[in-house]
Every structure is written in C-alpha cells, then in structure tokens.
Amino acid sequence: MAGIHPQVDPDRRPLTAGIIRRYLIGRPAACITVSGGDACVRVYGNLAHSPDTPDQAASQLLVLAGRGPHAVFTPKPGPWRGWSLERIEAALDVWAADAVEVGTRRPTRRSPLPETGGPGVRVAVPRRWVIAFDDIAAFRARLAGRDDPGFAVRATPAALYDRDGLPLAAPTAADAEALAAQVTEFGLLATPVAGSDGSRRVARSATR
C-alpha cells in the first residue's frame, strides 16, 4: 500500500504515514477495478483510497500488480512539530484501535471539542482540499490550544466530514475574527458562529 503513496515522506508527514501503516497496511485490503470514462469520479470518496486521475490509477495498478516501485513507511526518527516519536506513535495507536472498534458504523460527529454557544468559528476543509493532512492536523491543534497529536488526528476528520466542521470558541467577537483570519490564510474555510444573542459576530468567511 505504501507504494501507491510515493509522495508521503514519513519525515515530513508522519501522521499520514502512520495512519496508512496502521489502517491500510495492518489489515487485509481488497483491490477493486472500476473502468469507464468517469471511473475516478464514481468511486471518489467511497473507498478507503481511490486515485484522483486516470494517470494516477494506471501507476497505482502497476504497484498493486507487483510491477511498480516498492516503498515501506518507516516511523519518523525524530520529533515533528514539537511532538516526539513516542507521542505520535501512541496517539496513532489509540486512533487506529478506535477506528477498528467503530467498524462499519458511520459516526455523525467526530469533533473532539464541544459545541460552542458564543463567538467563534467553525473550521472546515474545502471539498477538493490540497493541504496535507499533517499540516491541517498540526494547524488545528495549535488553533485550539491543544499540544496533543492525538487531538490533531481526531480534529481533522471533523474538518473533513462533520457537517459544520470543527467548532472553535473565542472569548470575544474580536478573538473570533482573529481566528477566522488565521484559518483563511492557511487555506481552510472559516464560518462565523452566532453569539448567544443570535447575532453573527464574525465578519470573515472566505478561503484562499
């Protein structure tokens, strides 16, 4: 499985490499070939992995057939973003165990943070996102003030799949606007959260 993700460097993307190592390589996987002009569109988002383009599909099929480059994801040897290898690996172990326990159930809410009733923003990932999972995860943890790779991994699926994204509370409307500015500068989506009086107190909602 690592061979179809040659762009994933464990030194630069240890969360992605670790998730693939645990979730896709650590259990049996089935390969399904879908043909036709709209094959990539029809399967996108419905499988654990699917190629984005016909060229990508062709190269990945060679790997799966044993005729392409072989790669192995080894753990990152040193700290990443201030997190030690031990903390990253332990967080990924917990995440993978939870993923197995959930099984085929589709959680309706993945966010590790409670809903916010005051000023704040909801952070989401554009549907066709190009930001690396690892960068999104580390950025979200920093925004939430959580120095925890486990939180980072859990918060990112909330950005990707929860209907309203990850809620981030702010003490004041000005703080919420500052949060929104950081989010949109990073390339994510920031949606204003209404205050307790029902007013929409954050003016910024854009993406780069």
Side-chain angles (χ1 to χ4, degrees):
M1 199 67 185
I4 68 174
H5 295 280
Q7 76 281 12
V8 177
D9 178 358
D11 285 345
R12 296 178 59 245
R13 300 179 61 184
L15 301 181
T16 297
I19 287 173
I20 292 173
R21 193 167 61 245
R22 287 160 172 79
Y23 199 57
L24 297 181
I25 300 174
R27 65 184 66 189
C31 178
I32 303 172
T33 303
V34 180
S35 60
D38 61 346
C40 289
V41 175
R42 283 190 286 137
V43 301
Y44 188 86
N46 294 318
L47 301 173
H49 169 79
S50 64
D52 296 321
T53 66
D55 288 344
Q56 198 177 78
S59 64
Q60 292 178 5
L61 285 171
L62 284 176
V63 172
L64 293 172
R67 299 196 300 274
H70 178 70
V72 177
F73 287 145
T74 57
K76 177 179 172 56
W80 180 79
R81 304 290 179 93
W83 295 329
S84 68
L85 171 64
E86 291 76 18
R87 288 189 68 189
I88 291 174
E89 294 291 301
L92 290 171
D93 284 341
V94 173
W95 177 88
D98 287 350
V100 172
E101 185 176 330
V102 170
T104 58
R105 291 187 290 113
R106 183 184 179 90
T108 57
R109 186 172 180 274
R110 297 170 175 83
S111 173
L113 289 175
E115 294 292 334
T116 176
V121 294
R122 289 184 180 275
V123 186
V125 178
R127 184 169 295 275
R128 286 288 181 171
W129 55 288
V130 295
I131 309 167
F133 177 93
D134 303 63
D135 293 335
I136 294 175
F139 180 73
R140 281 181 167 280
R142 182 172 65 79
L143 276 182
R146 301 288 289 270
D147 182 23
D148 176 12
F151 173 88
V153 172
R154 293 172 188 278
T156 302
L160 287 165
Y161 304 119
D162 283 7
R163 186 187 65 180
D164 297 319
L166 180 74
L168 292 177
T172 67
D175 292 320
E177 187 169 351
L179 269 178
Q182 292 182 64
V183 170
T184 55
E185 285 177 7
F186 190 74
L188 301 176
L189 301 173
T191 302
V193 174
S196 57
D197 60 357
S199 62
R200 298 180 72 82
R201 300 201 222 168
V202 184
R204 184 184 297 265
S205 179
T207 185
R208 184 174 64 183

